[in-house]
């Protein structure tokens, strides 16, 4: 043998050590394993590892020895270890097949076979390898250098040993195949490879013994490969098991935490159960009590789960609730609630006894097991005696006083409170100053169940004083000892007191309700609760009465002047008309203050309000207490006079004159001295008005008639005034129909210069009523302005005039001047007046320069800045602006220079004066003003040649009137224009 260890020998020793470690480790596992399965698995593995190590060691020694005897000894040991190794391999696969429960007979066969092979091997001179050995021969080998091997003839023992090993390995194949369900296909496949390799190496050893080839014994290396694979698998499985173990540990820790939580929850629930404020019991499905809490022990004075045990289902059945109903409620509603029931002390219900009378309510809840099956029932028994007492009090108060109000309410209130509490004395009172002393003035008093007269109770040093200070106060007994100087307690012999304060909306005490008795009161707390309920209801009624008084005052009194308002006046007149003591003749006077709006706008509402207060005081002074004075609203007052008797109209006239004279007196407010005056309309009723509606309406008609005649006057209603109003209403309805039915017409009146040349025309509206014929504008225009219909009428006139002007141009009618359209003050005041006018002109495509808008002074001077803005916009658009009826308005000269105007029209009233006066300075001044401001001056209403000549002499150069042309319908005006043009051409042709 070479001096250096060949590397194959190194492998023999390495594998020997590795197999030893595996064998020892597996043996330790087998010894310490708890399961029989692991013992059966790791025991053969340990034998495989240790025998494999012995096999490799013996083989290495066999190849390295130089002595024949030593080689034979090594070969005998190798055969022993090979037998153990291969039979242990078979037993390993049998253990896998039978899942650690190898049948006893099979174990016996393995042990018997092993013993027989070991004995046979030991009995052989040359081991079971050879029957006879010739010599120990050295062979050269590149792996081993040179090695020694015995040469001989294998005997029957060798063949028997190999047959036994073949049977064992074939059985291992079979067992490995049938263990695939346990270890998995991959592992089965790998073990098949190992078995193939082991068979190959075993029978390669036989070929060595037969001298077929020169090599080494390889089964130990095959086993080493299997053991390596086994250890890797074991390591991976151990890692996997370790992970699973750690996961399981975490799961167990979580389960432990959950269990602790559940135990804590159970403990808390147990504490909740034991400490519940209501008597709580757990019963089985037959009603027997299993467990009770502390409150049950307190209420029932014993443990009802101990004999004699209370059956709560029997208790409820005795109270009228069937077991079937209980189980049905729990199944459908998950709860059952029954009662309250009144149980008398000392009278048993089943085994349930009470120490005192009580109202009990029973509430039942289910307890289910984990399969949601009803297992037990929780019975909660609540003592609702106090609540029931209060509920009875509420029912009593609601039934007793629900329909009563005012004093009847408080009377019934005290009677029923005394009956409910069964006490001798009850009163409700308010805090009042009487003769300089603070007292309680009763609203109602009940003594011994009967009403008494109201009294004043001294407040100082009394229980009532304590109530007002503290909100509520009670003396269960010996009240006279606590208040020895109180005559009220002493005189009535009262010993106990319970009282609670009533408060206002600011939570300030205003009175109290008190319950008193000549015996001590044991249940003061309950008494006080009931009294508080009654206090709440009484306070509500007091607040309602107070609110009713405030509302009535608001509804029937004018807050500014303190006079009765329109509603109060309305009821007063109704009473005079329908009352049993109605007088024969009364008068209704409606007063409207003159110029009040101007004062209000100029000096502010504060001054205006003070004026109204001064006027109301003056009217009271003039009229005295016999007249009913009221404020209608705004600046209107009304007076009702009654019992006028004969000469009623004369007395009424005299009274009206006194009122007018009084109103003409200046009113001083601060530094302002104001002149107002008034206008009055009056009606005698029931002579001229038989209903309240007629009274108000006829007085208003008379007032409007008086206003129409000028401020500062009066009118007494006559039936003819009603006819006038009816006519006005008919006009209003007719105007509405006229707009819808196209009953309006536009007439035109020419405007000429001093030479007779046509300068333009003014569009004038006319109304042809289907029944009444032509109606004058002077009659219907005021009505249109009052009703607001003037806006629609004005727009209609503008559209009609623009349409005619466009048609004339298309037909080449000889009209070359401007067309004037009147604008009412109501139209001009509209915010959209300019935009609506411009839109109409643009829509009909009429040049704006052909249109003149005539606006009156009253329209222009309402809001001077707004007027300037609107007129400037219209002029920029191209339209001409004329000031109509110049001289008839107010303050026109002061604002004239600021207004963007083009034309001044002198009103007909001024032109009429020229018919008799040759010199009229006012007209001359008007014309001069217009000329000096660069305005064209047009004189309206020129009817005579004298007027024309005088106007010319004053400098007026444009004229309009009957002298030149009457207003004509559109068709007639067109013919007039055509004829005028024809006449002009004829004059030009004359020589």
């Amino acid at each position: 043998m070479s001096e250096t260890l060949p590397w194959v020998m190194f492998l023999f020793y390495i594998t020997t050590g590795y197999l030893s470690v595996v064998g020892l480790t597996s043996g330790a596992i087998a010894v310490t394993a708890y399961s029989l399965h692991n013992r059966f698995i790791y025991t053969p593995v340990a034998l495989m590892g240790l025998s494999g190590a012995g096999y490799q060691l013996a083989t290495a020694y066999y190849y390295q020895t130089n002595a024949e005897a030593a080689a034979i000894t090594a070969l005998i040991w190798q055969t022993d270890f090979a037998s153990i190794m291969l039979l242990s391999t078979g037993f390993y696969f049998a253990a896998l097949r039978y899942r650690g429960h190898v049948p006893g007979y099979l174990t016996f066969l393995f042990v018997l076979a092993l013993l027989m092979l070991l004995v046979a091997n030991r009995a052989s001179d040359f081991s079971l390898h050879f029957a006879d050995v010739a010599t120990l021969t050295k062979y050269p080998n590149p792996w081993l250098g040179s090695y020694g091997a015995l040469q001989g003839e294998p005997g029957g023992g060798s063949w028997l040993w190999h047959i036994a090993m073949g049977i064992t390995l074939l059985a291992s194949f079979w067992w490995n195949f049938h263990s695939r369900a346990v270890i998995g296909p991959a592992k089965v496949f790998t073990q098949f490879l190992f078995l193939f390799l082991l068979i190959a190496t075993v029978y390669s050893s036989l070929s060595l013994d037969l001298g077929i080839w020169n090599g080494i014994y390889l089964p130990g290396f095959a086993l080493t490969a299997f053991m390596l694979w086994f250890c890797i698998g074991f390591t991976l499985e151990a890692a996997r098991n370790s992970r699973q173990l750690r996961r399981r540990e975490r799961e167990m820790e979580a389960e432990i935490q959950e269990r602790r939580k559940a135990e804590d929850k159970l403990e808390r629930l147990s504490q909740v159960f034991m400490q519940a404020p209501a008597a709580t019991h757990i019963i089985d499905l037959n009603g027997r009590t299993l467990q009770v809490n502390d409150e049950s022990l307190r209420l029932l004075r014993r443990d009802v789960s101990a004999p004699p045990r209370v059956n709560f289902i029997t208790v409820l059945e005795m109270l009228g609730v069937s077991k079937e109903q209980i189980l049905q409620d729990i199944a459908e509603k998950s709860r059952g609630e029954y009662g309250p029931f009144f149980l008398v002390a000392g009278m048993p219900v089943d085994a349930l006894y009470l120490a005192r009378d009580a109202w009990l309510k029973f509430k039942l809840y289910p307890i289910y097991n984990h399969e949601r099956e009803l297992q037990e029932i929780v019975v909660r028994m609540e003592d609702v005696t106090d609540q029931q007492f209060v509920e009875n009090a509420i029912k009593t108060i609601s039934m007793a006083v629900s329909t009563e109000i005012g004093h009847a309410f408080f009377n019934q209130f005290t009677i029923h409170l005394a009956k409910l509490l069964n006490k001798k004395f009850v009163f409700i009172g308010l805090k009042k100053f009487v003769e300089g002393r603070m007292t309680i003035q009763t609203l109602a008093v009940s003594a011994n169940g009967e009403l008494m007269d109201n009294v004043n109770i001294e407040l100082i040093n009394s229980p009532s004083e304590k109530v007002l200070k503290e909100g509520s106060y009670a003396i269960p007994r010996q009240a006279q000892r606590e208040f020895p100087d109180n005559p009220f307690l002493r005189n009535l012999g009262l010993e106990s007191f319970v009282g609670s304060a009533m408060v206002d909306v600011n939570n300030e005490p205003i009175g109290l309700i008190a319950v008193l008795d000549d015996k001590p009161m044991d249940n003061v707390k309950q008494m006080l609760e009931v009294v508080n309920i009654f206090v709440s209801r009484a306070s509500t009624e007091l607040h309602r009465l107070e609110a009713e008084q405030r509302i009535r005052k608001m509804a029937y009194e004018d807050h500014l002047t303190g006079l009765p308002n329109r509603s109060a006046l309305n009821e007063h007149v109704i009473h005079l008309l329908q009352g049993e003591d109605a007088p024969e003749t009364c008068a209704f006077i409606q007063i409207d203050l003159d110029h009040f709006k101007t004062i209000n706008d100029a000096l502010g509402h504060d001054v205006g309000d003070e004026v109204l207060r001064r006027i109301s005081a003056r009217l009271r002074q003039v009229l005295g207490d016999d007249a009913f004075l009221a404020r209608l609203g705004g600046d209107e007052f009304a007076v009702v006079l009654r019992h006028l008797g004969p000469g009623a109209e004369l007395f009424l006239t005299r009274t009206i004159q006194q009122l007018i004279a009084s109103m003409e007196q200046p009113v001083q407010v601060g530094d302002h001295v104001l002149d107002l005056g008034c206008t009055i309309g009056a009606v005698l009723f029931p002579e001229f008005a038989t209903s309240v509606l007629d009274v108000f309406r006829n007085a208003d008609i008379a007032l409007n008639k008086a206003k129409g005649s000028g401020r500062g006057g009066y009118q007494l209603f006559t039936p003819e005034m009603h006819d006038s109003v009816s006519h006005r209403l008919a006009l209003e309805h007719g105007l509405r129909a006229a707009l819808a039915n196209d009953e309006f017409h536009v007439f035109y009146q020419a405007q000429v210069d001093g030479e007779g040349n046509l300068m333009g025309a003014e569009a004038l509206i006319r109304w042809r009523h289907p029944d009444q014929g032509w109606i004058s504008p002077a009659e219907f225009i005021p009505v249109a302005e009052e009703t607001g219909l003037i806006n629609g009428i004005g727009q209609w006139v503008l559209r009609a005039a623009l349409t005619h002007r466009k048609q004339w141009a298309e037909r080449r009618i000889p009209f070359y001047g401007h067309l004037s359209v009147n604008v009412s003050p109501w139209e001009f005041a509209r915010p959209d007046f300019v935009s609506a006018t411009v839109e109409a002109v643009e829509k009909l495509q009429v040049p704006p320069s052909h249109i003149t808008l005539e606006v009156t002074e009253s329209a222009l001077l309402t809001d001077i800045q707004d007027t300037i803005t609107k007129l400037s916009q219209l002029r920029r658009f191209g339209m001409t602006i004329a000031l109509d009826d110049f001289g008839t308005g107010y303050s026109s000269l002061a604002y004239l220079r600021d207004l963007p105007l083009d034309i001044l029209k002198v009103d007909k009233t001024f032109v009429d004066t020229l018919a008799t006066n040759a010199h009229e300075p006012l007209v001359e001044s008007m014309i001069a003003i217009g000329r000096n401001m660069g305005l064209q001056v047009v004189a309206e209403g020129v009817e005579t040649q004298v007027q024309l000549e005088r106007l010319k002499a004053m400098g007026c150069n444009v004229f309009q009137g009957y002298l030149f042309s009457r207003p004509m319908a559109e068709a007639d005006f067109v013919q007039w224009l055509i004829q005028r043009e024809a006449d002009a051409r004829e004059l030009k042709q004359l020589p």
Side-chain angles (χ1 to χ4, degrees):
M1 185 173 179
S2 60
E3 295 180 356
T4 60
L5 184 67
W7 65 272
V8 172
M9 286 299 162
F10 179 75
L11 288 178
F12 273 107
Y13 293 123
I14 289 297
T15 54
T16 298
Y18 172 71
L19 291 172
S20 299
V21 172
V22 173
L24 292 172
T25 303
S26 299
I29 294 174
V31 171
T32 59
Y34 289 103
S35 68
L36 185 62
H37 175 268
N38 286 339
R39 288 180 182 179
F40 270 97
I41 293 297
Y42 285 98
T43 297
V45 172
L47 292 173
M48 289 165 65
L50 294 173
S51 62
Y55 180 89
Q56 289 294 84
L57 185 61
T59 303
Y61 182 74
Y62 169 74
Y63 283 127
Q64 287 183 312
T65 185
N66 292 322
E68 183 177 322
I72 291 172
T73 301
L75 200 59
I76 291 172
W77 280 104
Q78 183 209 51
T79 304
D80 287 341
F81 287 126
S83 299
I84 298 171
M85 179 179 69
L86 293 176
L87 288 173
S88 297
T89 300
F91 194 81
Y92 165 76
F93 282 101
L96 285 179
R97 165 66 180 84
Y98 293 106
R99 302 183 183 182
H101 300 282
V102 180
Y105 75 90
L106 195 58
T107 304
F108 174 76
L109 288 177
F110 272 104
V111 173
L112 180 63
L114 177 60
L115 292 175
M116 290 174 66
L117 289 174
L118 291 175
V119 170
N121 185 50
R122 289 290 173 176
S124 175
D125 293 333
F126 304 102
S127 80
L128 291 177
H129 279 267
F130 300 104
D132 183 29
V133 174
T135 183
L136 179 65
T137 306
K138 290 288 185 176
Y139 297 97
N141 189 286
W143 297 345
L144 301 174
S146 65
Y147 67 94
L150 293 173
Q151 295 292 321
E153 290 293 331
S158 175
W159 290 108
L160 180 63
W161 186 89
H162 282 94
I163 290 172
M165 293 305 106
I167 292 172
T168 300
L169 292 176
L170 287 176
S172 297
F173 269 103
W174 177 255
W175 290 328
N176 183 54
F177 176 76
H178 282 283
S179 64
R180 65 186 183 279
V182 178
I183 63 177
K187 192 172 182 180
V188 168
F189 176 74
T190 305
Q191 293 183 155
F192 270 135
L193 294 179
F194 161 67
L195 290 172
F196 278 119
L197 181 62
L198 192 59
I199 289 174
T201 56
V202 167
Y203 286 99
S204 70
S205 300
L206 179 61
S207 67
L208 286 175
D209 294 342
L210 293 174
I212 297 175
W213 74 295
N214 293 328
I216 60 174
Y217 292 108
L218 298 174
F221 290 105
L223 180 64
T224 301
F226 174 73
M227 286 299 177
L228 182 62
W229 171 85
F230 182 85
C231 289
I232 293 173
F234 175 80
T235 303
L236 294 176
E237 185 175 359
R240 183 171 62 254
N241 290 338
S242 177
R243 290 193 299 272
Q244 291 177 348
L245 182 60
R246 288 194 298 271
R247 183 172 67 253
R248 181 56 185 160
E249 286 177 351
R250 291 193 296 271
E251 291 174 354
M252 290 181 66
E253 288 177 0
E255 289 177 2
I256 291 171
Q257 292 295 330
E258 289 297 325
R259 182 171 296 178
R260 287 176 179 171
K261 290 180 181 178
E263 291 174 353
D264 291 343
K265 182 177 180 181
L266 185 61
E267 178 62 25
R268 289 195 298 272
L269 289 176
S270 177
Q271 292 181 18
V272 169
F273 172 78
M274 294 303 297
Q275 299 173 13
T280 307
H281 317 79
I282 296 177
I283 65 173
D284 62 19
L285 299 185
N286 293 317
R288 292 187 297 271
T289 306
L290 305 176
Q291 188 176 354
V292 301
N293 72 343
D294 295 340
E295 182 62 21
S296 173
L297 296 174
R298 187 197 65 78
L299 178 65
L300 304 178
R301 307 290 177 89
R302 74 179 188 89
D303 184 354
V304 295
S305 64
R309 184 180 294 180
V310 172
N311 188 309
F312 277 98
I313 290 182
T314 302
V315 169
L316 288 171
E317 286 179 329
M318 295 177 69
L319 295 173
V321 184
S322 67
K323 181 177 180 180
E324 292 75 13
Q325 180 65 45
I326 294 171
L327 296 178
Q328 181 180 352
D329 289 343
I330 290 178
E332 294 179 356
K333 306 175 186 177
S334 294
R335 65 177 295 170
E337 186 170 332
Y338 312 102
F341 303 107
F342 184 69
L343 276 67
V344 180
M347 294 185 64
V349 181
D350 188 53
L352 184 66
Y353 295 84
L354 294 181
R356 60 179 177 84
D357 295 349
W359 287 89
L360 298 180
K361 180 179 287 188
F362 294 84
K363 295 181 179 179
L364 278 65
Y365 305 93
I367 298 177
Y368 298 105
N369 60 19
H370 64 281
E371 296 179 353
R372 293 295 296 172
E373 295 176 342
L374 183 62
Q375 186 172 2
E376 295 170 339
I377 299 174
V378 175
V379 178
R380 184 183 177 96
M381 190 168 65
E382 297 180 356
D383 184 357
V384 294
T385 304
D386 292 345
Q387 296 93 312
Q388 196 67 26
F389 189 75
V390 172
E391 285 182 16
N392 290 339
I394 294 173
K395 291 178 182 177
T396 299
I397 189 174
S398 62
M399 290 187 297
V401 297
S402 59
T403 60
E404 304 291 348
I405 59 173
H407 293 295
F409 168 87
F410 294 115
N411 288 336
Q412 292 296 318
F413 199 81
T414 53
I415 289 291
H416 284 85
L417 179 57
K419 288 182 178 179
L420 176 66
L421 300 181
N422 192 26
K423 299 305 172 187
K424 181 176 181 180
F425 199 89
V426 175
F427 72 82
I428 177 171
L430 297 179
K431 183 171 61 172
K432 296 288 184 181
F433 273 105
V434 177
E435 297 179 357
R437 295 179 297 111
M438 182 63 74
T439 64
I440 293 297
Q441 190 176 75
T442 61
L443 297 174
V445 181
S446 170
N448 298 316
E450 300 291 337
L451 286 174
M452 289 179 53
D453 294 334
N454 285 315
V455 295
N456 292 326
I457 302 173
E458 188 71 33
L459 189 60
I460 305 300
N461 296 323
S462 70
S464 299
E465 184 180 28
K466 287 273 193 178
V467 171
L468 297 181
K469 287 181 179 180
E470 300 177 10
S472 62
Y473 185 68
I475 310 173
R477 53 184 52 83
Q478 297 181 346
Q480 293 187 45
R481 179 179 294 181
E482 187 165 346
F483 296 94
D485 299 326
N486 188 274
F488 182 74
L489 298 176
R490 185 175 59 253
N491 295 339
L492 294 175
L494 301 173
E495 285 297 320
S496 54
F497 174 94
V498 171
S500 186
M502 298 183 294
V503 297
D504 59 14
V505 293
N506 298 317
N507 210 32
E508 293 294 329
I510 58 173
L512 78 157
I513 294 178
V515 177
L516 305 97
D517 202 18
D518 55 2
K519 298 183 296 292
M521 295 185 192
D522 295 327
N523 50 351
V524 169
K525 182 179 178 182
Q526 285 186 355
M527 296 286 179
L528 198 55
E529 287 181 357
V530 173
V531 171
N532 284 334
I533 294 172
F534 275 70
V535 161
S536 177
R537 180 64 182 90
S539 298
T540 301
E541 180 65 16
L542 286 173
H543 295 161
R544 188 194 67 79
L545 290 173
E546 183 181 354
E548 186 178 271
Q549 292 175 354
R550 287 199 305 270
I551 292 171
R552 183 170 183 83
K553 184 175 181 181
M554 291 170 60
Y556 291 98
E557 183 179 294
D558 176 58
H559 72 281
L560 180 62
T561 62
L563 294 176
N565 62 10
R566 190 182 191 94
S567 298
L569 176 65
N570 189 75
E571 287 194 2
H572 183 69
V573 173
I574 290 174
H575 176 73
L576 292 179
L577 288 169
Q578 301 176 1
E580 295 180 359
D581 57 343
E584 293 183 0
T585 304
C586 300
F588 185 94
I589 304 171
Q590 189 168 339
I591 304 170
D592 184 79
L593 301 182
D594 297 337
H595 313 305
F596 177 76
K597 185 177 184 304
T598 303
I599 293 172
N600 215 24
D601 293 342
L603 301 179
H605 291 283
D606 291 341
V607 174
D609 291 347
E610 185 58 30
V611 167
L612 292 175
R613 283 190 284 267
R614 299 285 178 89
I615 290 297
S616 64
R618 184 180 295 179
L619 290 173
R620 283 196 195 97
Q621 184 178 3
V622 172
L623 295 168
D625 297 333
D626 294 335
F628 185 90
L629 174 64
R631 183 186 175 205
L632 293 176
D635 59 353
E636 290 189 337
F637 294 84
V639 179
V640 177
L641 304 176
R642 55 185 299 178
H643 299 298
L644 298 185
E649 185 172 336
L650 179 61
F651 179 81
L652 175 59
T653 301
R654 212 166 35 241
T655 302
I656 291 174
Q657 290 172 348
Q658 291 176 358
L659 291 172
I660 292 176
S662 173
M663 292 297 102
E664 288 176 348
Q665 300 299 316
V667 177
Q668 183 167 356
V669 178
D671 297 333
H672 305 286
V673 179
L674 307 171
D675 293 318
L676 282 90
C678 67
T679 304
I680 291 177
V683 60
L684 292 171
F685 68 93
E687 180 180 358
F688 296 117
T690 57
S691 70
V692 66
L693 180 63
D694 291 339
V695 170
F696 279 84
R697 181 175 55 202
N698 293 348
D700 193 59
I701 290 173
L703 178 62
N704 289 330
K705 182 70 173 177
K707 289 180 180 179
S709 301
R711 291 286 183 174
Y714 69 92
Q715 286 286 336
L716 302 183
F717 177 80
T718 60
E720 291 76 12
M721 292 181 184
H722 190 275
D723 295 340
S724 174
V725 172
S726 299
H727 177 65
R728 182 192 173 284
L729 288 175
L731 277 179
E732 180 180 342
H733 291 304
L735 285 172
R736 296 183 189 277
L739 272 175
N741 301 330
D742 200 22
E743 296 175 7
F744 291 116
H745 301 269
V746 178
F747 280 44
Y748 295 95
Q749 186 174 31
Q751 296 175 345
V752 299
D753 63 9
E755 303 298 327
N757 299 314
L758 184 64
M759 302 296 292
E762 180 179 1
L764 302 170
I765 188 171
R766 295 294 185 266
W767 177 21
R768 186 168 187 174
H769 193 278
D771 298 325
Q772 302 178 26
W774 293 103
I775 298 177
S776 169
E779 187 175 353
F780 71 79
I781 289 296
V783 176
E785 289 178 340
E786 291 177 16
T787 58
L789 293 171
I790 192 65
N791 294 315
I793 294 173
Q795 288 294 311
W796 182 90
V797 172
L798 177 62
R799 288 194 300 270
L802 291 172
T803 301
H804 291 159
R805 185 66 180 85
K806 182 179 180 181
Q807 292 172 351
W808 296 346
E810 291 171 350
R811 293 167 55 191
R812 299 185 182 278
I813 303 299
F815 180 80
Y816 309 109
H818 60 264
L819 191 61
S820 297
V821 179
N822 289 282
V823 178
S824 76
W826 285 265
E827 284 183 88
F828 190 79
R830 288 171 60 92
D832 62 342
F833 169 72
V834 174
S835 60
T837 302
V838 170
E839 181 182 355
V841 174
E842 289 179 341
K843 183 176 181 179
L844 291 169
Q845 298 179 348
V846 176
S849 58
H850 293 179
I851 304 299
T852 297
L853 296 181
E854 296 190 6
V855 190
T856 62
E857 290 183 62
S858 58
L860 298 179
L861 301 180
T862 302
D863 185 341
I864 193 65
Q865 191 57 50
D866 182 61
T867 297
I868 293 173
T869 300
K870 290 179 178 178
L871 295 182
S872 298
Q873 291 174 348
L874 293 170
R875 290 189 74 196
R876 284 195 299 271
F877 180 59
M879 303 179 78
T880 303
I881 306 300
L883 180 59
D884 196 15
D885 300 335
F886 179 57
T888 61
Y890 304 96
S891 305
S892 59
L893 297 180
Y895 294 108
L896 191 60
R897 66 178 182 275
D898 298 324
L899 297 175
L901 301 173
D902 300 290
I903 300 171
L904 285 183
K905 295 190 72 174
V906 180
D907 191 69
K908 182 179 182 300
T909 56
F910 299 106
V911 174
D912 288 344
T913 61
L914 298 177
T916 55
N917 298 323
H919 180 67
E920 182 56 55
L922 185 55
V923 177
E924 191 172 354
S925 298
M926 292 180 187
I927 296 173
I929 290 172
R931 290 173 61 86
N932 290 334
M933 294 182 65
L935 304 178
Q936 186 183 78
V937 180
V938 178
E940 291 184 302
V942 181
E943 298 179 353
T944 65
Q945 191 66 32
V946 172
Q947 292 172 333
L948 175 63
E949 295 301 329
R950 290 178 177 173
L951 287 168
K952 285 182 178 181
M954 294 178 185
C956 183
N957 51 13
V958 180
F959 312 96
Q960 176 182 343
Y962 281 12
L963 181 62
F964 310 102
S965 168
R966 288 178 174 271
M968 292 176 282
E970 189 266 340
D972 296 336
F973 184 66
V974 169
Q975 290 299 321
W976 182 81
L977 291 173
I978 295 172
Q979 184 61 46
R980 178 183 174 85
E981 180 71 12
D983 293 344
R985 284 197 299 268
E986 289 180 4
L987 288 175
K988 289 181 180 180
Q989 294 174 359
L990 292 176

